[in-house]
């Protein structure tokens, strides 16, 4: 399979790249930083994203999976202390990059015999707290966009689904804070496994809760 991982340089992205690479798939890792052997592509640059799609189409003709792991967080102690500059940042990271990728790659995903799109959301979208106003709103908007994308894929062999977490944890975080229990957190390797599992189902437009209590 041909798998595109957006946000591939982060811990979740690295876990997804490992998962699919170990299974022998062709993985195209993309990250603005270009770190870790990823392609340096600014997903806020729509022209650059469309060029990426054209390049992948020319080489492979399709995309079998798109894993959108571009993230970020900003918050405040109280609602009144919310900074709208934080909203601007989160809008770009969580919504605009998602829009660019889905719009550019829809034809390639539909060209797959079993295309899968996955985005990670957060429990904050369901029940935002006053300090999470901007973040929860951005995640909710990203979910709505993904569900619209899923509707566009109805009747094809491709699907789009949402994986919901409270927060993510990785090995480095556990080693840095061995006394912490990280209740409700989802390990990035478990997230990668759940993404891989999307090829075992035809479900489309679903929200899969990966919260670990």
């Amino acid at each position: 399979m041909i798998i595109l991982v957006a946000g591939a340089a982060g811990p979740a992205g690295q876990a997804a790249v490992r998962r699919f690479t170990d299974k022998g798939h062709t993985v195209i890792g993309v990250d603005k930083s270009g770190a870790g052997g990823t392609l340096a592509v600014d997903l806020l640059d729509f022209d650059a994203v469309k060029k990426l799609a054209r390049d992948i189409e020319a080489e492979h003709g399709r995309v079998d999976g798109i894993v959108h792991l571009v993230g970020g967080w900003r918050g405040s102690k109280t609602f009144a202390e919310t900074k709208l500059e934080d909203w601007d940042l989160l809008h770009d990271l969580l919504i605009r990059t998602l829009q660019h990728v889905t719009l550019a790659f829809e034809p390639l995903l539909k060209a797959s015999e079993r295309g899968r799109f996955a985005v990670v959301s957060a429990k904050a979208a369901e029940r935002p707290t006053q300090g999470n106003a901007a973040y929860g709103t951005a995640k909710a908007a990203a979910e709505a966009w993904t569900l619209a994308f899923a509707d566009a894929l109805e009747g094809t062999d491709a699907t789009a689904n949402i994986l919901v977490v409270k927060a993510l944890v990785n090995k480095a975080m556990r080693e840095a804070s061995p006394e912490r229990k990280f209740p409700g957190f989802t390990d990035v390797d478990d997230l990668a496994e759940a993404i891989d599992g999307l090829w075992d189902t035809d479900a489309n437009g679903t929200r899969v809760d990966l919260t670990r209590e």
Side-chain angles (χ1 to χ4, degrees):
M1 294 195 300
I2 311 300
I3 310 294
L4 175 69
V5 178
Q14 292 173 32
V17 169
R18 283 195 305 271
R19 177 86 184 188
F20 290 108
T21 300
D22 289 348
K23 296 187 73 172
H25 301 309
T26 298
V27 181
I28 302 166
V30 174
D31 197 276
K32 183 179 180 179
S33 67
T38 62
L39 293 177
V41 179
D42 183 359
L43 298 181
L44 289 175
D45 183 342
F46 198 18
D47 288 335
V49 178
K50 288 186 286 188
K51 181 181 184 304
L52 175 66
R54 290 194 300 271
D55 290 345
I56 293 175
E57 181 178 25
E59 183 171 357
H60 303 288
R62 71 187 194 282
V63 167
D64 301 301
I66 301 173
V67 185
H68 195 80
L69 297 171
V70 180
W73 181 86
R74 290 290 187 278
S76 58
K77 290 184 178 180
T78 67
F79 182 80
E81 292 176 290
T82 299
K83 296 179 181 178
L84 293 182
E85 293 83 0
D86 290 344
W87 163 256
D88 293 338
L89 174 68
L90 293 170
H91 171 272
D92 283 348
L93 287 175
L94 305 182
I95 304 171
R96 186 64 75 193
T97 62
L98 173 66
Q99 292 172 328
H100 287 169
V101 169
T102 50
L103 289 170
F105 280 90
E106 179 191 13
L108 291 184
L109 197 65
K110 286 182 174 179
S112 170
E113 293 182 355
R114 197 164 178 77
R116 295 292 180 267
F117 177 86
V119 67
V120 177
S121 188
K123 299 291 283 186
E126 303 171 33
R127 186 174 293 180
T129 60
Q130 61 174 315
N132 255 348
Y135 178 74
T137 301
K139 282 294 188 182
E143 287 196 17
W145 185 271
T146 302
L147 293 177
F149 186 41
D151 186 57
L153 298 175
E154 280 290 338
T156 75
D157 296 318
T159 66
N161 292 284
I162 301 161
L163 304 177
V164 182
V165 302
K166 174 182 177 181
L168 294 172
V169 63
N170 58 67
K171 181 179 179 181
M173 290 170 63
R174 288 197 172 97
E175 290 177 346
S177 303
E179 74 288 352
R180 288 191 63 186
K181 300 299 182 183
F182 299 99
F185 284 44
T186 300
D187 192 279
V188 292
D189 289 326
D190 292 332
L191 173 64
E193 180 180 1
I195 293 169
D196 191 10
L198 293 175
W199 276 266
D200 297 328
T201 176
D202 292 323
N204 184 36
T206 64
R207 299 177 76 256
V208 183
D209 193 337
L210 301 181
T211 302
R212 299 288 187 260
E213 298 298 345

